Amino acid sequence: MGGRAASGTGSQTTGGGPARPPRLERGRSALGPALELVHTGRAPTRAVLTAELGVTRATAGAVAAELEALGLIRIDARPSAAAGSQGRPSHRLSVAEDGPVALAAQVHSDGYRVALVGLGGRVVATTPGCEIIDPDPADVLRSVVEAGVRLLAASGRVCVGAGLAVPSAVAEPDGTALNPLHLAWPAGSPVREIFADCVREAGLGVPAFAANDVNLGALAEHRHGAGRGARDLLCVATGHRGVGGALVLDGHLHTGSSGLALEVGHLTVHPEGRPCHCGSRGCLDVETDPLAFLLAAGRTPDSDGSLLHQARELLLTGRDDPAVRAATEALVDRLGLGLAGLVNILNPDRIILGGLHRALLDAAPERLRAVVADRSLWGRSGGVPILACTLDHNSLVGAAELAWQPVLDDPLGALAAP
């Protein structure tokens, strides 16, 4: 980003041609923070951007112009003033609706889904999803990438990177899925390496990333959903099988020393309960997931359909069924016991629930909050807000956040890379 530093005079002209956005030297370091502010909705106007960055109005304007020139944001120079406001209204900032996208994929026990996700967490396009998962991760991920390539070709968009969400703890730094049991994949599958190989073989030429699906859902919710504004955010969710957790501290995922933090599914909440694949009994993983709900309600799961969909439908349609009510109360009590233990250890300022846990919160909000308050010291001193996740496909959006992160860190460097 050569050239002289931007002055307060605005854009420069050369040879009588059209005005061009100023090139920055000092302002380059502000490009990433500025893009993240617009990306997360925290800088809807240039005035807010100026205040958040702590720079002059001229520098903020130059930074915004540079991001617009890169095709990442849009500047509305003629916004309408708010009622009762005084002075000239500030230019409004938004992500570019026709800008680049990340290829995002989520694999789970009932299939996979692929999407294109733009800045701001916007899902631009998505596949209907596949409902069959092969026991060979290479075959699955090759199909995933092929579906993404078709989406990209149809969209005509530039791709900045690819991200993958998997229902397993992903060890760092190798990117191996330690326990993808619900996928029938071998333990220790090098999913990040396989995914990157598939992306490279498809000719995309972009970086590829992989991480745990609940971690990525929490990251997406923190940036774009129910977790926005939280400092210490705890997310607990059950998708198609099992239970996962994630913790976001000061805007960053807490993954522990090797990426394995917050394996909350193996908290014991019913000592005499069902055997768990970890070797214990009565873990959250087997006591509060969709299969547990269906069995507790006396239903035989349909092996050909999504367990999550079956559990949600039963929760909605069976409210007058005593067996469904009893199953709901049992799962809420066990979930609340697990959340209370996590609150005692972590002291989060907000809890968000996803998957079937979100539906259980909707079905019995007071009961769940009462269990957590009764069983946690912090709950008795005022309580911790417990909210439902608000993003559809938050793990997909979180997978895209992985791919977008290099651009958020250094927009010029990332977009100039081959």
Side-chain angles (χ1 to χ4, degrees):
M1 242 172 111
R4 57 183 182 170
S7 68
T9 58
S11 60
Q12 303 167 348
T13 59
T14 56
R20 299 175 59 192
R23 306 295 284 176
L24 308 176
E25 288 178 351
R26 297 178 193 173
R28 175 169 183 170
S29 63
L31 283 176
L35 181 59
E36 183 166 341
L37 286 166
V38 178
H39 170 61
T40 56
R42 290 179 289 153
T45 68
R46 195 170 67 181
V48 175
L49 183 68
T50 301
E52 290 287 338
L53 292 177
V55 298
T56 66
R57 180 179 174 186
T59 298
V63 167
E66 188 76 15
L67 292 174
E68 186 176 47
L70 290 170
L72 297 171
I73 73 168
R74 292 289 177 263
I75 303 171
D76 182 357
R78 297 183 300 275
S80 57
S85 62
Q86 297 180 351
R88 186 172 62 182
S90 180
H91 295 179
R92 296 198 65 81
L93 308 177
S94 60
V95 298
E97 293 186 359
D98 58 349
V101 294
L103 190 161
Q106 180 183 11
V107 179
H108 50 75
S109 62
D110 291 326
Y112 67 76
R113 183 176 290 273
V114 182
L116 304 181
V117 183
L119 282 168
R122 297 178 303 107
V123 177
V124 173
T126 182
T127 64
C130 167
E131 295 184 354
I132 299 175
I133 289 297
D134 193 280
D136 183 349
D139 288 344
V140 176
L141 297 183
R142 192 174 298 112
S143 297
V144 162
V145 173
E146 288 171 356
V149 168
R150 290 193 293 271
L151 281 180
L152 284 168
S155 72
R157 302 289 189 99
V158 172
C159 181
V160 300
L164 172 69
V166 292
S168 167
V170 177
E172 299 294 347
D174 298 328
T176 55
L178 292 189
N179 56 343
L181 301 178
H182 299 307
L183 299 180
W185 288 357
S189 295
V191 291
R192 185 179 300 151
E193 179 182 347
I194 295 171
F195 186 55
D197 287 345
C198 292
V199 168
R200 184 176 60 254
E201 290 168 4
L204 291 180
V206 296
F209 308 86
N212 170 261
D213 53 1
V214 178
N215 274 353
L216 295 179
L219 180 62
E221 292 286 345
H222 187 268
R223 291 184 174 179
H224 308 292
R228 287 177 63 175
R231 190 189 69 176
D232 299 333
L233 175 69
L234 172 64
C235 175
V236 176
T238 176
H240 297 260
R241 289 291 302 276
V243 175
L247 185 65
V248 181
L249 300 175
D250 290 325
H252 301 282
L253 278 171
H254 174 69
T255 56
S257 60
S258 57
L260 308 181
L262 272 293
E263 279 292 301
V264 304
H266 301 292
L267 286 174
T268 299
V269 293
H270 187 206
E272 305 303 320
R274 297 182 178 87
C276 181
H277 53 78
C278 72
S280 186
R281 301 185 71 91
C283 296
L284 273 178
D285 218 44
V286 293
E287 295 291 338
T288 66
D289 77 343
L291 179 61
F293 179 71
L294 293 169
L295 295 176
R299 299 314 199 260
T300 300
D302 178 2
S303 59
D304 294 329
S306 163
L307 294 176
L308 178 59
H309 178 71
Q310 293 173 57
R312 281 174 169 165
E313 285 296 307
L314 181 60
L315 193 58
L316 288 173
T317 61
R319 291 179 178 175
D320 295 330
D321 184 325
V324 173
R325 288 201 304 271
T328 301
E329 292 174 358
L331 262 71
V332 163
D333 289 350
R334 289 166 191 166
L335 174 60
L337 184 60
L339 292 178
L342 292 168
V343 167
N344 285 335
I345 296 169
L346 301 172
N347 189 25
D349 57 17
R350 192 179 309 174
I351 299 171
I352 57 173
L353 302 179
L356 182 63
H357 292 168
R358 171 181 172 176
L360 290 171
L361 174 64
D362 290 340
E366 298 308 318
R367 186 183 185 99
L368 179 58
R369 292 185 176 111
V371 173
V372 175
D374 289 345
R375 296 298 188 105
S376 66
L377 295 173
W378 307 116
R380 293 174 191 151
S381 64
V384 181
I386 303 176
L387 307 175
C389 290
T390 57
L391 298 179
D392 292 329
H393 311 306
N394 58 15
S395 292
L396 273 176
V397 175
E401 291 294 316
L402 289 182
W404 273 113
Q405 193 59 52
V407 181
L408 296 174
D409 291 338
D410 181 8
L412 270 179
L415 295 181

